[in-house]
Amino acid sequence: MAISTGSPIASRTRRPLTPDSIFRRVLVGLFVVLMVVFILGPLLWLGVRAFAGNWTYPNLLPDDWTLRWWQVVVNDGALGIAVQNSLFFAPLTVLVSAIICLPAAYAFARFDFPGRRFFLISLFATNAFPKMGLFVTLAALFYALNLMNTILGILVVHVLGTVVFMTWIPAAAFAAVPRNLEEAARDAGASKLRVFASVTLPMALPGIIVAAVMSFLASFDEAQGTYLVGAPAFMTMPTQMYSLVLNYPTQVAAVFSILLAIPSVALMLAAHKHILGGQLAEGFQIK
Amino acid sequence: MTTTLQKPAELQQTVPPAGATRPKRLGQRAVGFFMALPPILLIALFVGFPIVLAFGFSIGLTGGLNHTIATIGQNVHEADAWWGTLAAYQEMFTNKRFLGDLLVTVIVTLVSTATVIFLALGIGLYLKLKGGRMARLLSGLAIVPLFIPVVIASWAILTFYSGTGFLRSVFALFGLDFPVWAFTMVTVIIGSVWTSLPFAVLMVSSGLQSVPNAMIEAARDAGAGSLRTIVSVIVPMAAVPIIIATTFTAIGIVGSFTVPYFTGPNSPNMLGVDMSNYFSAFNQPQQSAVMAFTVFLIASGIAALYVWANFRSAKEQGKV
């Protein structure tokens, strides 16, 4: 799952071991160990907690193991509703975002029109402005439009968080489709729509998939805006985490964390080739 | 600039850059314009317009659409001149709590961004210059946080560095006392670095990979050492992706909420957290708006750097 868009420059031959090279290897090894502890440590520490009974400090493992906390989560109605809400908003967000943004992505890649660059930069504005500040300003408008604590209001917040992904990444993907291929298909007598459906779209699909995955996760993980606009009428899984951490035993929050992480990990694993292959990085450069 | 460098020369000539060349008919330009319009309208309505509205509210213009929030909120300063009043700004910029938050926000953003870019550069350079299993393992590790929702990450990091956390447990087994980092700015910085690392690593590595190996070999042949090659050849050639990674990381951290909310102290904490406190818990939306515009100001300074870097890269490729 490493990033490999080019071959490293170092030659494959092994150099003889000198004190200097041993020292370097130890240094690199130490860095890797530190990174493993830094990145994976917190996740494992949390993961173990979901199956832990009693845990005496400072033991590194719990005293006994139990599945009790999973039952608590499954039997808790509020938590179930949060799962349902999350699974309702995320796909809807992706759909709405795709309808709004994908034609624009194609236009950015293929047409030159007045204001194109200005449009691209104003899209960036949603990302440049800190989310919490944005939601605080949005709240004033939502009060006036009666969108507070409504499904539409939450949907707006979620879609706003996906616009940059859904426009930029597919735009880069559409732009990367070679034009001579499209023209060749045209010359062979295919209609414009046919060319789009059987040449452009399939070639740009990895970028669109990455955008859809990122959007799904953005909606699935969105907490601050949903909390401000939707709580307590509509709780999703991440907003429920806020109250879980305060009101439930840590083990319950740990179980809930694992549940919340499953869709993210599954989707990311499914799309990781494209994400690491540069579709994401490519999308973030205005052209 | 990442892909164009990798494309063979003859392909590059036949593929015009995005949105350029070929004489366009007026109709096609109009179609492009209208296809691009929906997301722009959405953003104008739900980002641009509220920002203008909230700015008006922050300077005491409480009529019109601001009426509802001005009625609900407490401690609202109303305009005393036709253009408004700076009373809310005055109140906040003499407020010790706010000034403490501001300082903490700036420090956390600077330290975390510097750490993230340093790590991303280190991993990217190791991948580019050495390669091998170790390098792939490192970059793979750095991507892991992308898979984990921020809410969970923050909470996991909090428990890891807490009073009964892993580090303290390990040290306690050896009879040593490790400090409690939970609910201090140390965990906020650790959490910010943790969550920002994947994007920076992806961006920086993809930029570094696109530096042609021939250039590096040429520099070496000319007698440049490793450090010299990195500083004068590789990093300048990947400057644009590095700047983009830096700006996105800094903007993400300066406005972050979830990480400092979970892992940080009550006060002073980052502006994102206190902004929400002022809005919900204290019911002082105007003060909250003032904080939002302070963060906006910092972020737009950073954003200007991003736009400049992109224009520079476009100019280099002769697109402007």
Side-chain angles (χ1 to χ4, degrees):
Chain A
M1 61 189 284
I3 310 141
S4 50
T5 40
S7 60
I9 201 166
S11 55
R12 284 264 139 221
T13 48
R14 276 184 181 265
R15 278 187 225 133
L17 290 177
T18 61
D20 191 44
S21 76
I22 291 174
F23 176 69
R24 266 192 207 175
R25 275 188 192 191
V26 169
L27 217 63
V28 169
L30 207 66
F31 181 68
V32 171
V33 169
L34 275 180
M35 284 293 284
V36 169
V37 173
F38 173 69
I39 300 277
L40 299 181
L43 299 176
L44 291 175
W45 194 245
L46 182 67
V48 170
R49 210 154 280 253
F51 304 95
N54 288 315
W55 195 334
T56 323
Y57 174 81
N59 293 342
L60 289 182
L61 283 175
D63 308 335
D64 45 21
W65 303 87
T66 172
L67 286 175
R68 179 155 53 103
W69 310 112
W70 291 79
Q71 248 169 0
V72 173
V73 171
V74 171
N75 293 336
D76 191 304
L79 301 183
I81 287 172
V83 175
Q84 267 178 25
N85 279 344
S86 276
L87 290 178
F88 167 75
F89 279 114
L92 195 62
T93 304
V94 175
L95 190 71
V96 171
S97 179
I99 291 170
I100 294 175
C101 299
L102 284 184
Y106 185 78
F108 282 125
R110 279 294 187 252
F111 300 116
D112 191 19
F113 49 88
R116 179 176 170 275
R117 196 163 272 271
F118 173 76
F119 278 12
L120 275 173
I121 290 174
S122 45
L123 282 180
F124 170 59
T126 36
N127 235 53
F129 287 135
K131 285 272 149 58
M132 200 67 215
L134 216 57
F135 297 140
V136 165
T137 58
L138 202 58
L141 182 70
F142 273 23
Y143 271 127
L145 296 178
N146 259 330
L147 283 175
M148 275 303 201
N149 295 319
T150 63
I151 291 179
L152 188 62
I154 296 173
L155 196 63
V156 168
V157 166
H158 282 209
V159 170
L160 279 180
T162 66
V163 168
V164 168
F165 293 134
M166 257 316 179
T167 329
W168 284 7
I169 301 171
F174 281 131
V177 177
R179 275 204 193 186
N180 45 4
L181 252 147
E182 289 175 343
E183 273 155 19
R186 288 281 286 157
D187 290 344
S191 70
K192 267 188 179 167
L193 207 65
R194 180 76 198 275
V195 171
F196 179 79
S198 43
V199 178
T200 318
L201 195 59
M203 288 192 75
L205 203 58
I208 297 173
I209 290 173
V210 169
V213 167
M214 296 301 287
S215 301
F216 186 93
L217 295 181
S219 164
F220 204 77
D221 301 346
E222 212 295 315
Q224 341 167 354
T226 317
Y227 197 72
L228 205 70
V229 172
F234 295 97
M235 298 297 269
T236 59
M237 286 174 81
T239 55
Q240 194 71 48
M241 267 299 281
Y242 288 136
S243 64
L244 261 183
V245 169
L246 297 174
N247 304 328
Y248 285 75
T250 43
Q251 289 93 328
V252 174
V255 171
F256 206 62
S257 297
I258 293 178
L259 288 179
L260 183 50
I262 289 173
S264 308
V265 173
L267 276 174
M268 282 289 190
L269 282 178
H272 82 273
K273 250 190 205 141
H274 300 309
I275 291 172
L276 303 184
Q279 295 281 0
L280 185 68
E282 194 54 36
F284 276 78
Q285 307 192 31
I286 297 179
K287 276 175 190 157
Chain B
M1 78 192 275
T2 39
T3 49
T4 38
L5 277 171
Q6 289 160 356
K7 276 174 197 156
E10 71 274 6
L11 196 69
Q12 242 182 63
Q13 277 171 357
T14 49
V15 184
T21 64
R22 287 218 302 184
K24 286 268 156 43
R25 278 167 293 130
L26 195 68
Q28 219 175 354
R29 289 168 66 107
V31 168
F33 181 81
F34 283 108
M35 276 170 84
L37 212 50
I40 304 297
L41 285 181
L42 183 79
I43 289 199
L45 182 61
F46 288 110
V47 178
F49 182 56
I51 288 176
V52 174
L53 212 59
F55 183 72
F57 182 51
S58 79
I59 57 168
L61 304 176
T62 51
L65 282 169
N66 280 333
H67 182 72
T68 321
I69 196 161
T71 319
I72 296 172
Q74 284 169 350
N75 191 15
V76 175
H77 300 274
E78 296 217 16
D80 47 16
W82 62 268
W83 56 267
T85 171
L86 288 178
Y89 285 87
Q90 235 160 31
E91 185 202 328
M92 291 315 276
F93 275 90
T94 50
N95 179 336
K96 280 228 173 69
R97 178 181 173 127
F98 169 76
L99 292 175
D101 290 345
L102 184 60
L103 184 70
V104 160
T105 306
V106 170
I107 291 173
V108 169
T109 306
L110 286 179
V111 174
S112 311
T113 309
T115 314
V116 166
I117 298 303
F118 179 77
L119 286 176
L121 268 177
I123 293 169
L125 283 171
Y126 193 65
L127 197 66
K128 172 80 178 167
L129 297 176
K130 280 264 185 218
R133 215 156 16 111
M134 228 30 158
R136 284 201 301 276
L137 179 72
L138 264 181
S139 62
L141 260 180
I143 305 302
V144 168
L146 195 65
F147 294 64
I148 309 296
V150 182
V151 186
I152 295 172
S154 319
W155 197 65
I157 287 166
L158 180 74
T159 48
F160 192 69
Y161 297 98
S162 72
T164 55
F166 174 78
L167 281 186
R168 266 177 64 84
S169 300
V170 169
F171 274 75
L173 288 178
F174 293 102
L176 298 167
D177 195 37
F178 193 82
V180 180
W181 278 347
F183 303 116
T184 69
M185 286 338 273
V186 179
T187 11
V188 176
I189 291 174
I190 290 174
S192 304
V193 172
W194 200 92
T195 47
S196 316
L197 200 58
F199 181 76
V201 167
L202 282 173
M203 212 63 213
V204 170
S205 321
S206 115
L208 290 175
Q209 291 296 352
S210 69
V211 175
N213 283 350
M215 295 285 281
I216 299 167
E217 272 151 18
R220 280 191 182 158
D221 290 345
S226 296
L227 193 70
R228 186 70 203 270
T229 316
I230 291 170
V231 172
S232 330
V233 178
I234 304 178
V235 170
M237 285 201 69
V240 171
I242 293 173
I243 291 175
I244 294 176
T246 313
T247 50
F248 266 84
T249 305
I251 286 172
I253 294 171
V254 81
S256 63
F257 170 76
T258 307
V259 170
Y261 175 82
F262 272 97
T263 65
N266 274 331
S267 179
N269 204 334
M270 291 182 70
L271 282 174
V273 178
D274 236 11
M275 206 183 285
S276 137
N277 280 340
Y278 269 84
F279 189 85
S280 307
F282 306 161
N283 192 19
Q284 300 191 12
Q286 199 177 28
Q287 283 68 13
S288 180
V290 170
M291 296 170 119
F293 279 100
T294 312
V295 179
F296 280 5
L297 205 66
I298 303 172
S300 35
I302 305 168
L305 189 68
Y306 169 81
V307 172
W308 171 81
N310 270 299
F311 271 105
R312 206 188 79 147
S313 94
K315 218 172 227 167
E316 273 170 5
Q317 292 169 45
K319 285 176 192 168
V320 176

